[in-house]
Amino acid sequence: MKPLIVANWKCNPKTLEEAKTIFDSVKSVQGSEVVICPPVIYLSALKANGAQDVFWEDGGAYTGAVAPSMLKNMGVTHIIVGHSERRKYFKEKDDVIAKKINAALTCGLKPILCIDKLSQLPKDLDQEVIVAYEPLSAIGTGKAYGLDKAEAMRVDITRATGDKNVILYGGSVNAQNAKDYIHQAGFQGLLVGGASLNPKEFIDIVKNVCYC
Ligand code: PGA
């Protein structure tokens, strides 16, 4: 199976022009399955396949919300759910995140659930959910998590959820360390934040993890 590399642009860049430049530079990179999650406002112009969040209702009187079907109809296949920044700045709790996961699955979207501890895994995870292990100390700090500790967590997540779930590592991934998380720590993919905004770095990440 090809590694799954997910680009999380977060709240960047500031203009559509810049977004197009980054997107056009990386969209054809080969070797891994690539999902690019720009801010939702750029989705339709870029025809990107990932989004950073989703609402749990599929439409109605919910000012400012973006429904799963809207994203699906725009060509989105994957949705990041429960990112630590959503938990911290938007006060999202596990019950809200569970509703978002269900809404995404109901709509045929693949949720990428971000966790930094096992207790954040939903109790009854019987459907296929991609789990991204993102230790808080490693997110946006340039201090990627130790390989042994990351691998131990990957094993624990597999034990808790079964073999069906793809497990990603996220947190200060760069072109130098990307391969180790896949080939040594056994993750099936990566969630890349800061480095995904640098086309050369992101392309190197995708190429370096390739089994080809
Ligand atoms: P980072 O972010 O790669 O900039 O550490 C990862 C993430 O928050 O998903």
Side-chain angles (χ1 to χ4, degrees), residues 1-4 31-33 166-168 182 187-189 209 211:
M1 199 186 80
K2 283 184 181 177
L4 171 64
S32 300
E33 186 185 351
V166 167
I167 305 174
L168 314 180
I182 309 277
F187 287 88
Q188 289 144 297
V209 302
Y211 286 107

Side-chain angles (χ1 to χ4, degrees), residues 23-187:
F23 191 81
D24 288 345
S25 312
V26 301
K27 69 179 178 195
S28 312
V29 63
Q30 304 283 325
S32 300
E33 186 185 351
V34 174
V35 172
I36 298 178
C37 306
V40 72
I41 194 166
Y42 302 141
L43 267 174
S44 74
L46 302 182
K47 298 192 172 51
N49 56 352
Q52 299 173 18
D53 184 36
V54 69
F55 188 48
W56 61 82
E57 293 289 348
D58 207 23
Y62 303 103
T63 302
V66 177
S69 292
M70 295 173 188
L71 296 170
K72 170 102 176 165
N73 293 333
M74 204 63 84
V76 166
T77 54
H78 292 70
I79 308 263
I80 298 172
V81 179
H83 191 279
S84 62
E85 288 149 16
R86 303 268 342 152
R87 295 177 194 262
K88 180 174 176 189
Y89 299 114
F90 301 90
K91 310 292 175 218
E92 286 189 14
K93 299 272 184 291
D94 289 342
D95 56 340
V96 159
I97 292 163
K99 287 203 274 184
K100 293 184 171 195
I101 292 171
N102 283 331
L105 288 168
T106 302
C107 200
L109 292 161
K110 292 186 182 165
I112 302 166
L113 168 64
C114 301
I115 64 164
D116 74 290
K117 38 182 166 319
L118 284 177
S119 60
Q120 291 167 338
L121 286 169
K123 301 281 165 288
D124 44 358
L125 204 58
D126 49 358
Q127 296 196 68
E128 215 174 306
V129 170
I130 298 163
V131 179
Y133 173 51
E134 296 210 302
L136 293 183
S137 65
I139 298 178
T141 57
K143 294 182 187 141
Y145 208 54
L147 280 179
D148 290 349
K149 283 194 291 176
E151 181 178 7
M153 188 64 172
R154 178 189 62 72
V155 171
D156 285 347
I157 295 170
T158 307
R159 209 170 277 140
T161 62
D163 292 344
K164 63 185 181 308
N165 301 92
V166 167
I167 305 174
L168 314 180
Y169 168 79
S172 295
V173 171
N174 59 37
Q176 276 71 49
N177 62 27
K179 185 161 55 63
D180 298 340
Y181 287 98
I182 309 277
H183 298 198
Q184 286 186 44
F187 287 88

